[in-house]
């Protein structure tokens, strides 16, 4: 039997998706170990939450480690030092450089609060409301060199209500983010994801 995958989680803030993933690993829903949480922001609330759960953590302050390539080199070094197999961005507010993508090819996931390719980038919920869409949601995708662009693994939708605010829509989407991100990481760790260009196939589990 192969060893459980080791997952690195990158955060910049409260880390609610990080917590959903760590809890799923800890209770056996994901066959993986949370190996390391890295924040680029000192004092990010997610760091304290990771510490409470006993997950190793590190701060690599992007405001002090410049230029970007140097900061990212430090991130890569920390992830590789922790033996990370899969990297999950969980509210990590920095674009990745090609160097990071090359270090973990096809092994970096992100969850974005829109039904990509609609509304990439910041303020996705605001964009959705301004455009008057009737359905919004979230997307788990493989990270590539472009912003919110890589192959789509899973998506989940929520209705947009007439009285929705940016906050109320974001809260409903976040509930789905926690669910669908856990499912996507579970599939990766069970070796059931196949990437073919921009298409992602989910294959049947292999009998033990």
């Amino acid at each position: 039997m192969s060893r459980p995958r080791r997952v690195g989680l990158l955060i910049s803030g409260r880390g609610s998706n990080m917590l959903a993933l760590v809890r799923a690993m800890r209770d056996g829903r994901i066959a993986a170990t949370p190996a390391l949480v890295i924040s680029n922001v000192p004092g990010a609330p997610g760091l304290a939450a990771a510490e409470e759960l006993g997950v190793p953590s590190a701060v690599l302050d992007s405001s002090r480690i410049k230029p970007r390539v140097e900061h990212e080199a430090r991130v890569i070094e920390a992830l590789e030092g922790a033996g990370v197999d899969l990297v999950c961005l969980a509210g990590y507010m920095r674009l990745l450089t090609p160097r990071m993508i090359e270090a973990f090819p096809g092994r970096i996931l992100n969850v974005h609060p829109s039904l990509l390719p609609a509304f990439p980038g910041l303020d996705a919920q605001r964009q959705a409301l301004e455009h008057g869409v009737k359905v919004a949601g979230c997307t788990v995708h493989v990270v590539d060199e472009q912003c919110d662009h890589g192959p789509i693994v899973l998506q989940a939708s929520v209705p947009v209500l007439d009285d929705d605010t940016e906050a109320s829509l974001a809260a409903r989407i976040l509930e789905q983010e926690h669910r669908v991100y856990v499912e996507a990481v579970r599939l990766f760790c069970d070796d059931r994801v196949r990437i073919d260009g921009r298409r992602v196939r989910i294959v049947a589990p292999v009998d033990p």
Side-chain angles (χ1 to χ4, degrees), residues 67-121:
R68 179 182 293 267
V69 290
E70 181 181 342
H71 178 265
E72 204 157 85
R74 297 273 295 276
V75 172
I76 293 169
E77 181 182 18
L79 292 169
E80 291 179 340
V84 164
D85 303 298
L86 178 68
V87 179
C88 294
L89 309 186
Y92 189 62
M93 304 305 292
R94 283 175 69 81
L95 294 175
L96 302 186
T97 71
R99 181 174 183 176
M100 182 78 169
I101 307 301
E102 292 165 6
F104 298 93
R107 294 185 290 131
I108 305 176
L109 296 180
N110 182 48
V111 63
H112 180 73
S114 80
L115 294 173
L116 293 173
F119 314 130

Side-chain angles (χ1 to χ4, degrees), residues 3-197:
R3 67 169 176 83
R5 301 292 179 89
R6 292 178 62 81
V7 178
L9 303 113
L10 306 188
I11 66 172
S12 296
R14 62 185 176 175
S16 70
N17 274 303
M18 175 270 293
L19 290 174
L21 292 172
V22 168
R23 288 167 179 153
M25 291 182 235
R26 289 285 173 80
D27 67 19
R29 285 177 288 148
I30 298 175
T33 298
L36 181 64
V37 171
I38 297 176
S39 175
N40 69 306
V41 178
L47 287 168
E51 183 177 347
E52 288 180 6
L53 291 171
V55 181
S57 63
V59 177
L60 294 173
D61 187 350
S62 56
S63 69
R64 292 182 175 273
I65 305 172
K66 298 180 179 180
R68 179 182 293 267
V69 290
E70 181 181 342
H71 178 265
E72 204 157 85
R74 297 273 295 276
V75 172
I76 293 169
E77 181 182 18
L79 292 169
E80 291 179 340
V84 164
D85 303 298
L86 178 68
V87 179
C88 294
L89 309 186
Y92 189 62
M93 304 305 292
R94 283 175 69 81
L95 294 175
L96 302 186
T97 71
R99 181 174 183 176
M100 182 78 169
I101 307 301
E102 292 165 6
F104 298 93
R107 294 185 290 131
I108 305 176
L109 296 180
N110 182 48
V111 63
H112 180 73
S114 80
L115 294 173
L116 293 173
F119 314 130
L122 298 175
D123 302 319
Q125 300 93 335
R126 183 188 306 168
Q127 293 183 62
L129 291 173
E130 289 175 348
H131 279 75
V133 299
K134 303 303 182 185
V135 177
C138 58
T139 302
V140 179
H141 65 96
V142 179
V143 177
D144 63 12
E145 291 85 352
Q146 300 182 51
C147 177
D148 300 326
H149 174 268
I152 291 170
V153 181
L154 293 175
Q155 292 181 302
S157 63
V158 301
V160 179
L161 307 180
D162 289 342
D163 60 351
D164 260 329
T165 63
E166 187 176 346
S168 65
L169 179 58
R172 286 207 314 285
I173 291 174
L174 186 62
E175 291 179 2
Q176 295 303 311
E177 288 181 44
H178 293 169
R179 180 184 66 80
V180 77
Y181 210 179
V182 166
E183 176 64 10
V185 174
R186 183 185 71 80
L187 291 169
F188 259 84
C189 291
D190 288 347
D191 195 28
R192 293 182 56 196
V193 175
R194 302 291 182 270
I195 303 171
D196 181 13

